[in-house]
Every structure is written in structure tokens, then in C-alpha cells.
Amino acid sequence: MYAAGVEACFLELHMRDSGDSVGSALTLSLVFISALGLISPAWFQSDLYSFGLFASCSWTEGNDWNQTCVAYRTLEDMPDLAWKASAALLLGGWLLLAFWALLLLSWTILPEDFCPVKGRIPTQYIQATSVITTLLGLLLFPFSLDSQVAQDAWGPSAVYSAGLCHLGWGYITAIFTLVLTSLLSIVGRFHLNKRQEKKILFSTITERNVLISEPND
């Protein structure tokens, strides 16, 4: 009876820890991929010019490996109001994603005695807020195509009309990260349902072992 109970407890803990480890690893990967997209200077680009959320670059024809870049270190350095608002939203969404990843990592590494709030913090709301904030930032950033900087680089451009430029890998990476972050909630809910089913199964096995062992006592 005791051995069966210990085995069930061990299997449940192993299942829970492995699921938390996978979730934290995926979230940390998304944090790094998202950061790579945010610092990219290639959200919109043409043959001679590109700009991203925090930098813009230019180069001569046939010499795209020798670029001259300007970094936007503060919101005041950004040339357009929509640009600034988008940067604030996207940076806020990334910080929420990083905070969510650190929570999952701490719950995975530290023993449960050191994490009394584990399971009490509504992490799904942190994730949802990160997704919504990032989505708003991505939708707002194309408004910067109406800025003077974009028009000087690519001629006639307007809101959601890129003119002579096209989407760069930085903006695509940001969209890709947003989609994966949204899908993590579905994966997490599926894993939670599986974990509850297995927990019920382990409890049933333990109860059967107790009933079988009682006559021998």
C-alpha cells in the first residue's frame, strides 16, 4: 500500500515537473526570439534603406554589407508619434513575456517550499496581456509609414501603404513570436487536462491498492 502510494506520488511529481520544464523552455525561447525581432533594423526595407523599431539603416547600391545606422535610444529620438506609441506597447509586451518566462522558470527550478505562490498567480492573464499589448503595437507600427522619414526613404507612402518598401524579417519575426505565444495557452490548457486525467488515474490505482491490502492488515 505504501509503495503504491509513493509510486503514484512520484509519477505525478515527475509529470508536473517535466511539463513545467517544457513550458518554461518554450517561453524563454520566445523571449529571446522576440528580443531579436525588436532590435532588428529591418521591419520595413527597400534596396537602399530599412528601418525598425529602434534603428534605421541606409547603404549604397551593391554595398549592403556596409550600412550606416541610426539608433533610437529614447522615445524622443523616434520621428513619429505612432512610432513612439508602438515602441512603448511592444516593449511593454516583451517585458510581460519576460516576466511570465521568469515566473515559469523559478517554479521549475526552485522547490515548491520556496515558491508558496506557485499556482496562485494568474499567469494566463499575464500571457493574455502580453499578447494583446504586442498585437496593438504591431497594428500601430505601420502608421509610421506616413512619417516624414518613411516618405523621404521610399517616396509616397501612407498608413498601411508601404510604397516602394516591403516587410522585413524583423516585423515577420515579431508576428511569428506573437502567434507562438498565443498558441502556448492552448498547449498549456491541453497539458493541464492531460495532467488532471493522469492524476485521477494514479489516485484510482492507489485506492485499489489500498482496498486490496486492507484484508492482509
Side-chain angles (χ1 to χ4, degrees):
M1 177 181 64
Y2 178 76
V6 170
E7 181 181 2
C9 181
F10 173 77
L11 289 173
E12 181 184 344
L13 289 173
H14 175 72
M15 178 180 57
R16 182 187 62 192
D17 292 341
S18 61
D20 292 343
S21 300
V22 172
S24 61
L26 289 174
T27 310
L28 284 174
S29 300
L30 289 179
V31 170
F32 287 112
I33 296 174
S34 179
L36 187 64
L38 289 180
I39 64 176
S40 166
W43 280 44
F44 289 96
Q45 64 183 63
S46 64
D47 295 334
L48 301 176
Y49 192 85
S50 70
F51 72 78
L53 195 62
F54 297 107
S56 60
C57 298
S58 60
W59 56 92
T60 57
E61 187 173 359
N63 193 23
D64 52 347
W65 289 103
N66 185 17
Q67 300 182 5
T68 301
C69 297
V70 176
Y72 307 125
R73 301 182 184 278
T74 64
L75 292 179
E76 286 74 16
D77 296 335
M78 297 177 180
D80 184 66
L81 179 61
W83 203 320
K84 298 176 183 179
S86 176
L89 288 170
L90 288 168
L91 184 59
W94 182 84
L95 290 174
L96 287 172
L97 179 63
F99 177 63
W100 178 42
L102 289 176
L103 276 179
L104 294 180
L105 181 63
S106 65
W107 292 348
T108 302
I109 296 176
L110 297 177
E112 194 167 356
D113 294 340
F114 289 90
C115 296
V117 296
K118 182 175 182 179
R120 300 179 185 177
I121 298 178
T123 55
Q124 68 273 17
Y125 296 125
I126 299 176
Q127 179 192 13
T129 305
S130 173
V131 169
I132 294 173
T133 304
T134 303
L135 177 62
L136 291 176
L138 290 175
L139 292 175
L140 187 59
F141 188 75
F143 281 76
S144 62
L145 292 171
D146 195 36
S147 66
Q148 191 63 43
V149 172
Q151 293 179 0
D152 291 343
W154 300 309
S157 62
V159 177
Y160 283 94
S161 178
L164 301 177
C165 71
H166 55 85
L167 285 179
W169 66 267
Y171 195 81
I172 295 174
T173 301
I175 296 174
F176 176 72
T177 307
L178 176 64
V179 172
L180 291 182
T181 305
S182 303
L183 291 177
L184 271 183
S185 61
I186 301 175
V187 175
R189 185 175 295 276
F190 175 79
H191 173 73
L192 179 61
N193 292 337
K194 286 292 184 181
R195 190 169 69 185
Q196 290 175 345
E197 291 176 2
K198 292 182 179 181
K199 183 177 180 180
I200 293 173
L201 176 62
F202 296 151
S203 299
T204 304
I205 294 174
T206 305
E207 290 174 359
R208 288 179 180 176
N209 287 328
V210 171
L211 293 175
I212 294 172
S213 301
E214 281 180 352
N216 297 329
D217 294 341

